[in-house]
Amino acid sequence: MEIQAGLFPASGPGMLAMPTPSMAVAGPTLRTARERMGMTLQDVAGETRIAVRHLTAIEEGRFDGFAASVYAIGFARNYARMVGISNEWITDCLRDEVTARFDARERFDLGWSGQPARRVHAVRFKRR
């Protein structure tokens, strides 16, 4: 069996050789695996309980809509498990680049910075 350059050898009979891990191949590989199984994004969403918008973002390599890298990678791992792709492979594809992107994002203060809170005037409603 000849292995194409840039692919891992298949792990067992009937298993596909996987591309060398990178963020650029993660989404297309997940989409291809899903389509080979005859599944739609709605099918995967129903089984994994991951929103279709997140699955679409993973397939397209867009991770800016996730709250943190752990969500992006965790959702990708659940998606991969659903379509028969190794969790280790998808993690290797995404870990470094996704984590770096999130580390470079501007932080926002949730109010837990230790600074005294500003007093906000509450609006009171009259009972009718």
Side-chain angles (χ1 to χ4, degrees):
M1 175 177 153
E2 185 178 324
I3 299 172
Q4 296 176 347
L7 296 179
F8 289 137
S11 302
M15 299 211 41
L16 297 173
M18 297 303 294
T20 302
S22 76
M23 197 163 90
V25 299
T29 302
L30 290 168
R31 181 177 32 254
T32 300
R34 174 180 56 79
E35 290 170 350
R36 285 188 179 185
M37 293 180 73
M39 299 179 79
T40 65
L41 283 172
Q42 289 76 16
D43 295 333
V44 176
E47 290 292 322
T48 61
R49 298 184 181 194
I50 299 171
V52 171
R53 71 178 183 276
H54 292 309
L55 297 171
T56 302
I58 291 167
E59 284 187 356
E60 295 174 357
R62 294 181 295 105
F63 296 97
D64 54 339
F66 293 92
S69 62
V70 295
Y71 293 111
I73 294 170
F75 286 178
R77 287 173 56 96
N78 286 336
Y79 183 2
R81 185 180 314 117
M82 181 70 205
V83 296
I85 293 176
S86 162
N87 282 340
E88 292 78 21
W89 182 83
I90 199 72
T91 302
D92 289 345
C93 286
L94 301 177
R95 182 184 328 118
D96 295 336
E97 289 185 57
V98 170
T99 302
R101 283 186 183 189
F102 278 90
D103 288 346
R105 281 189 358 184
E106 218 174 277
R107 301 281 186 215
F108 56 92
D109 185 9
L110 295 174
W112 305 324
S113 63
Q115 297 294 325
R118 291 186 301 169
R119 183 149 180 92
V120 177
H121 299 288
V123 177
R124 296 188 183 244
F125 295 97
K126 293 181 182 179
R127 286 191 172 167
R128 292 185 182 201

